[in-house]
Amino acid sequence: MLNAQRPPKVTRTRTTSWRARLAFAFLVVVAIAVVFVTNRLLTDRFTETTRNRAELRLVLYGGNLLSELRQNAIVPQLLARDPALISALNTGDYTQSTQRLISFVDEIGAASLTLLDRDGRTVASTDRNSLGQSHRQAPYYVDALRSKDTIFKVLRDETGRYRFFYSRRVDSQNQVVGVIMVEVDLGKYERAWAGISDAVLVTNSEGEIILATEPRWRGLSEAEALQREPVDSAIERAIQATADWTALPADAYLRGEAVMRVEGRVAFRGWRIASFTTYASVREKVNGFLALEIMGFAILLALAFWILNRKTALRAALFQRESAELRALNARLQREIAERERVQENLAVAEQTLAQSSKLAALGEMSAAVSHELNQPLAAMKTYLAGARLLLNRNRPDEALSSFQRIDDLLERMGAITKQLKSYARQSGDTFEPVNLGDALSSALAMMEPQLRQRHVNITRTLPKDPVQVMGDRVRVEQVMINLLRNAMDATEGVDEPTIDILLAAGETAVLTVRDNGHGIDNFDNLFEPFYTTKQPGDGVGLGLAISSGIVNDLGGRLTARNASGGGAVFEVQLPILTEETRAAE
């Protein structure tokens, strides 16, 4: 009986063994198929993501280049009309020309500014070592003399680096007196690109590389720069062939490595920009996911092995519970990740909204400031135009020319005011120079002369015998004086005998006092706040004292106000005085 029952048990054991083997083989085949499909899908997905990011970076790089070129394109046109440079070319006195160009170069952001005379000789430059050099045969000089427009040239120096120039001729009385040249600093972007993992190059309309993270590429075409050099030994060829089998489809090869090529267009003279990104990051991400999948299938295979052999049921149950806990933890982590992504998206939207609100607020404030600061020169120009019209009607053209000259001075002053306002808004570091407060006060009174004469305001001035000098910007100092004088005139409106007393004193500090016989100050708390005014709508925007206070603070001084004992208001400006020792140190 026992012997008769043994064959069925052996048969059942063999059948169970074959089933286990078939199940194990089927699981292995499924694992290989899933890993293969996942590899293809994730590779395509991460490659597309990497390509999109590379395209975004390329758009940013191209936009930076175009912005720098456009910013510097207008500079030669502006400097070609600079009266100081034209006068220096006419008189041959270039003592102040180099310093004037140096004062412009930081604000413009150019690599260098150079002034050439009509013979092509460097007479003023931000690079003092280039003074006296001749550029008579240089293409940017020759072409600038032949054209009335701004000329752009790209030249390669002896080191192989490309330099970019804008040049324009300077005319005086319909005659060419020189050429102004601006070198655009595109090398800073090339240096910035060198710090990233991608390789970047920029080609001109002829396909020649002019900017690149690899210095040896300059002057070559893209095909020549990326030409693959054959390996020397058979072992190296075998290793490279094996690497090519497992690598992603390459757009190009760089240093023998497959890379992703992304190309864009720079909207400037047919320039193009291209970047080369390695597939290392894509491969790392895909391998990470594949490792997780392989680990999961390995766990499943181990679990199937234990279940099919029916030897460790308890361990299998424990493993199932742990797997459930891991799945719950994974689900919780996914929810937390999704929540964090939503919070980051909301934060990005809030930051964009705040940035837009800040831009709109700054735009409104700057518009009001420009309107306020240009009101005084415009009023003076109106008066001078009326006087010139009257003189021309009386056939006195010579005297009318003086009025037109004053109008021209006012136009230059308006340009200086807008430049000063822009510097004030951007908090730029302007260079200071000694300023004579007496001369600045005379210029301010000359600016206010038409309004003072029209209002019949009595002006008394008390000045010391010796000049009172401070370190600062004369345009901004005069602007403070004009704002204080205009504020005093407005305060004396309606007074029978309007009087303004001006006192300039020098002690430990330079003190300028402006006193009027108006109605005085009612609210000291908001006196220097922007947009606070007691005038009627349309007469002022309340920015004069706020701007004046900011200018005085920038110069290291203080602006205070009080009511006079006999009536009226007193404004006092205190600035650090420039002594002989300080002047010698400077």
Side-chain angles (χ1 to χ4, degrees):
M1 295 292 296
L2 293 175
N3 292 334
Q5 293 176 353
R6 287 177 182 176
K9 291 183 179 179
V10 174
T11 302
R12 288 196 297 267
T13 302
R14 291 179 178 178
T15 302
T16 304
S17 177
W18 277 106
R19 289 178 180 177
R21 292 178 181 178
L22 288 176
F24 188 83
F26 176 78
L27 189 58
V28 171
V29 172
V30 171
I32 294 175
V34 170
V35 170
F36 179 80
V37 173
T38 304
N39 177 59
R40 292 293 302 271
L41 294 178
L42 292 180
T43 298
D44 294 340
R45 178 182 176 184
F46 289 127
T47 300
E48 186 65 21
T49 302
T50 303
R51 185 180 298 275
N52 292 337
R53 291 178 179 176
E55 289 175 353
L56 290 176
R57 287 195 298 268
L58 211 60
V59 171
L60 177 62
Y61 297 160
N64 291 338
L65 291 176
L66 185 60
S67 176
E68 188 72 18
L69 291 168
R70 289 180 176 176
Q71 178 181 349
N72 287 269
I74 195 64
V75 175
Q77 183 178 358
L78 298 177
L79 294 182
R81 301 176 181 177
D82 186 79
L85 298 181
I86 295 175
S87 176
L89 290 171
N90 288 329
T91 60
D93 183 9
Y94 308 104
T95 56
Q96 301 296 325
S97 300
T98 295
Q99 186 61 35
R100 186 171 182 83
L101 294 180
I102 293 175
S103 66
F104 291 153
V105 70
D106 290 336
E107 182 178 353
I108 295 172
S112 65
L113 300 177
T114 305
L115 181 65
L116 309 178
D117 60 10
R118 69 185 63 186
D119 296 327
R121 183 174 57 91
T122 302
V123 296
S125 175
T126 55
D127 182 11
R128 298 181 184 273
N129 296 328
S130 64
L131 293 176
Q133 295 181 359
S134 177
H135 302 263
R136 190 176 184 87
Q137 303 299 326
Y140 46 75
Y141 172 78
V142 175
D143 293 349
L145 293 181
R146 297 174 179 175
S147 175
K148 295 183 179 180
D149 299 326
T150 302
I151 303 301
F152 178 78
K153 291 293 180 181
V154 180
L155 301 180
R156 192 176 186 184
D157 57 15
E158 60 274 8
T159 64
R161 183 171 62 91
Y162 283 85
R163 303 174 66 183
F164 310 87
F165 299 93
Y166 280 108
S167 60
R168 188 183 181 94
R169 73 182 190 187
V170 181
D171 295 334
S172 177
Q173 297 179 357
N174 296 328
Q175 292 185 355
V176 179
V177 296
V179 172
I180 186 69
M181 183 174 62
V182 179
E183 182 178 359
V184 185
D185 187 12
L186 296 185
K188 60 185 179 182
Y189 298 109
E190 192 177 45
R191 293 188 294 272
W193 298 339
I196 62 177
S197 59
D198 296 353
V200 183
L201 59 86
V202 178
T203 59
N204 57 15
S205 59
E206 299 175 358
E208 185 179 6
I209 299 176
I210 56 178
L211 290 173
T213 54
E214 295 288 337
R216 59 187 179 84
W217 289 356
R218 300 192 189 106
L220 303 176
S221 65
E222 183 177 340
E224 295 172 347
L226 301 180
Q227 185 176 5
R228 300 184 67 182
E229 299 179 358
V231 296
D232 299 328
S233 64
I235 296 178
E236 290 179 349
R237 286 196 296 271
I239 293 175
Q240 183 177 6
T242 304
D244 290 343
W245 293 342
T246 59
L248 300 172
D251 295 337
Y253 286 89
L254 181 62
R255 307 185 193 95
E257 183 181 3
V259 293
M260 179 189 304
R261 181 183 181 276
V262 179
E263 183 180 18
R265 186 176 65 88
V266 181
F268 182 81
R269 296 178 178 266
W271 287 13
R272 304 194 70 84
I273 184 170
S275 67
F276 303 91
T277 306
T278 63
Y279 287 98
S281 60
V282 177
R283 193 72 266 168
E284 290 174 359
K285 294 178 181 178
V286 174
N287 290 342
F289 279 92
L290 295 181
L292 291 177
E293 286 187 352
I294 294 173
M295 183 181 297
F297 280 113
I299 294 174
L300 291 177
L301 290 173
L303 179 61
F305 180 82
W306 287 108
I307 292 174
L308 291 173
N309 287 274
R310 298 179 180 180
K311 292 181 179 180
T312 55
L314 180 61
R315 293 184 179 180
L318 179 60
F319 181 79
Q320 290 177 356
R321 289 196 299 269
E322 291 179 352
S323 299
E325 292 176 358
L326 289 175
R327 286 193 296 269
L329 178 60
N330 186 27
R332 188 163 61 252
L333 289 176
Q334 289 180 354
R335 288 195 298 270
E336 291 179 1
I337 291 172
E339 183 65 25
R340 178 165 295 184
E341 289 177 352
R342 283 197 301 272
V343 171
Q344 290 179 350
E345 291 177 358
N346 294 336
L347 179 59
V349 172
E351 289 178 351
Q352 292 178 359
T353 304
L354 180 59
Q356 186 66 19
S357 300
S358 300
K359 291 179 181 179
L360 293 176
L363 179 61
E365 184 174 347
M366 285 302 299
S367 299
V370 170
S371 175
H372 178 274
E373 296 300 329
L374 296 183
N375 185 43
Q376 188 64 34
L378 288 174
M381 289 172 58
K382 183 177 180 181
T383 303
Y384 286 131
L385 284 173
R389 186 184 298 112
L390 182 61
L391 291 172
L392 290 175
N393 291 336
R394 296 182 177 179
N395 198 16
R396 295 160 64 184
D398 295 336
E399 298 179 13
L401 286 177
S402 63
S403 297
F404 289 127
Q405 182 61 41
R406 290 190 176 184
I407 292 174
D408 184 66
D409 295 339
L410 288 174
L411 289 173
E412 293 182 1
R413 182 172 187 84
M414 289 171 67
I417 289 174
T418 55
K419 175 184 175 183
Q420 174 260 322
L421 283 174
K422 180 174 69 175
S423 301
Y424 178 77
R426 293 182 180 175
Q427 297 294 331
S428 60
D430 294 336
T431 56
F432 291 161
E433 59 183 4
V435 177
N436 190 336
L437 292 183
D439 296 341
L441 180 59
S442 300
S443 299
L445 288 173
M447 173 74 96
M448 297 290 295
E449 179 182 355
Q451 287 78 6
L452 294 172
R453 187 185 301 113
Q454 183 178 2
R455 287 281 308 280
H456 302 289
V457 179
N458 184 21
I459 300 292
T460 60
R461 283 188 292 178
T462 304
L463 306 178
K465 296 181 180 179
D466 298 328
V468 181
Q469 291 190 340
V470 299
M471 287 298 293
D473 184 353
R474 177 162 178 170
V475 174
R476 302 176 74 181
V477 172
E478 292 178 4
Q479 197 62 42
V480 172
M481 295 178 178
I482 290 174
N483 288 339
L484 293 179
L485 289 173
R486 185 175 183 183
N487 188 69
M489 287 180 56
D490 295 338
T492 57
E493 187 174 359
V495 179
D496 296 336
E497 295 182 359
T499 302
I500 299 176
D501 298 327
I502 304 174
L503 173 62
L504 179 61
E508 296 182 356
T509 60
V511 180
L512 175 66
T513 304
V514 179
R515 175 178 178 178
D516 60 73
N517 62 342
H519 301 291
I521 303 172
D522 297 330
N523 187 354
F524 285 93
D525 295 335
N526 300 325
L527 185 61
F528 296 106
E529 293 295 329
F531 303 105
Y532 171 76
T533 180
T534 58
K535 304 174 185 177
Q536 296 297 325
D539 294 337
V541 293
L543 284 173
L545 292 179
I547 293 175
S548 300
S549 179
I551 293 174
V552 174
N553 290 336
D554 291 343
L555 298 180
R558 184 177 62 175
L559 175 60
T560 59
R562 67 177 187 276
N563 285 325
S565 58
V570 178
F571 287 86
E572 189 174 86
V573 178
Q574 297 182 6
L575 294 173
I577 197 168
L578 181 62
T579 61
E580 294 296 334
E581 294 79 3
T582 306
R583 190 180 309 171
E586 292 293 337

